[in-house]
Amino acid sequence: ISIIALLGAVALTGCGKKDDSSSEKAAASSSSASDSQDTTTEAATEETTEATTGEATNADDWKSCFTNKLLICKKDWQAEAETNQDESILPYFSIQDLDDDGTPELFISKGMASQYGVDIYRFENNQLVELGSYGAYGTVLYNEETGVLSWSNISQGNEITKGYLYKDGELEKIFSAEDYSKGEPVKEDSPIVNDFKFKIDGVSVSEEEYNTQLEKFITTYKTDYSVELGRSFEIDEAAIKEALAE
């Protein structure tokens, strides 16, 4: 099936980032100013879904939708890069079957800068459904044995670690760790000095507890033995054909 034929199977759609509200976004905005340094970009879109393409009509529906979405993303992002003279925009993608149902999920990366997460989509009812944007530096880690998606992002000395499991068509957060101890120093007389430096799942903890829980997460879910998703293939017609044929 040619790329032209695949494009004809679905309605064209744009590729802009969603600006959905979510409970985590609300929590992040109210917790502290340093939470804004979490540039993983997942806060605005996680725990939300949105149909992003029209219906496909052939036996390879998901391939049609994937192809259409990828080529539109490339077109939109290349135009943005040229307009803004932004060399950090380098569109790539990966595919991975997160639930072993025979239909993979789609991972699209806008670039490799810290602010770029990975837009993740699932295919359902002849259309793509957006799961949100996760990760940092254009990648997210995936452990095939444990099924966990994870990433760590360091920004201005602060380190954020997140972990998610794909369940019932959604990404469910199972872990978060926040280390603000290496960022801008906090005055010793500040009322937040003792409860601001380390957090596990949004709750302030001691440095010792933070390290214990982070190591437990890494060991339990084997995140050190993960593969990177988001930047397996550059977005072009030849690469799309190769990826969808695998």
Side-chain angles (χ1 to χ4, degrees):
I1 301 175
S2 67
I3 291 297
I4 299 300
L6 291 175
L7 289 174
V10 291
L12 295 181
T13 183
C15 191
K17 185 79 67 180
K18 295 194 305 177
D19 190 22
D20 298 334
S21 298
S22 71
S23 58
E24 180 161 337
K25 182 177 180 182
S29 63
S30 62
S31 61
S32 68
S34 291
D35 278 324
S36 65
Q37 303 303 328
D38 182 358
T39 56
T40 62
T41 73
E42 101 284 1
T45 55
E46 64 190 26
E47 299 173 1
T48 63
T49 59
E50 177 179 322
T52 58
T53 70
E55 292 188 358
T57 58
N58 57 51
D60 290 326
D61 291 341
W62 66 269
K63 294 183 179 182
S64 299
C65 286
F66 282 19
T67 299
N68 179 63
K69 184 65 176 177
L70 288 167
L71 292 179
I72 290 177
C73 281
K74 181 177 181 178
K75 178 181 178 181
D76 289 350
W77 286 340
Q78 281 186 335
E80 180 183 340
E82 292 172 3
T83 299
N84 300 329
Q85 297 184 339
D86 187 350
E87 296 181 355
S88 71
I89 298 178
L90 298 167
Y92 275 70
F93 75 100
S94 301
I95 58 173
Q96 177 69 46
D97 191 349
L98 297 179
D99 54 4
D100 295 322
D101 67 348
T103 301
E105 280 63 49
L106 176 63
F107 299 74
I108 310 178
S109 166
K110 186 175 183 179
M112 296 183 67
S114 63
Q115 71 267 26
Y116 295 138
V118 180
D119 299 337
I120 306 177
Y121 300 85
R122 61 181 169 85
F123 180 77
E124 182 179 7
N125 296 328
N126 292 328
Q127 57 189 342
L128 291 181
V129 177
E130 184 173 358
L131 300 177
S133 185
Y134 302 82
Y137 300 98
T139 63
V140 62
L141 299 177
Y142 175 65
N143 184 282
E144 296 185 60
E145 181 181 346
T146 64
V148 167
L149 290 165
S150 65
W151 68 92
S152 293
N153 182 34
I154 300 175
S155 177
Q156 298 182 356
N158 303 315
E159 183 170 359
I160 312 295
T161 301
K162 306 275 187 177
Y164 285 78
L165 275 174
Y166 186 62
K167 183 178 180 181
D168 298 327
E170 301 290 342
L171 283 169
E172 176 184 336
K173 184 164 68 174
I174 60 170
F175 181 79
S176 70
E178 303 163 74
D179 176 1
Y180 300 103
S181 65
K182 303 177 185 65
E184 295 183 4
V186 180
K187 294 180 179 179
E188 289 301 323
D189 60 353
S190 168
I192 64 173
V193 67
N194 292 322
D195 66 357
F196 185 69
K197 290 185 177 181
F198 302 96
K199 291 182 179 180
I200 295 293
D201 296 329
V203 178
S204 297
V205 296
S206 67
E207 181 176 5
E208 180 180 5
E209 179 67 10
Y210 172 89
N211 290 331
T212 297
Q213 293 300 322
L214 180 58
E215 181 61 28
K216 180 180 178 181
F217 169 72
I218 293 172
T219 302
T220 301
Y221 292 103
K222 303 180 180 180
T223 59
D224 284 343
Y225 303 94
S226 300
V227 296
E228 286 189 344
L229 296 177
R231 303 194 65 79
S232 304
F233 300 91
E234 186 175 1
I235 299 179
D236 60 41
E237 292 191 12
I240 293 172
K241 287 181 178 179
E242 178 186 351
L244 299 187
E246 291 184 349

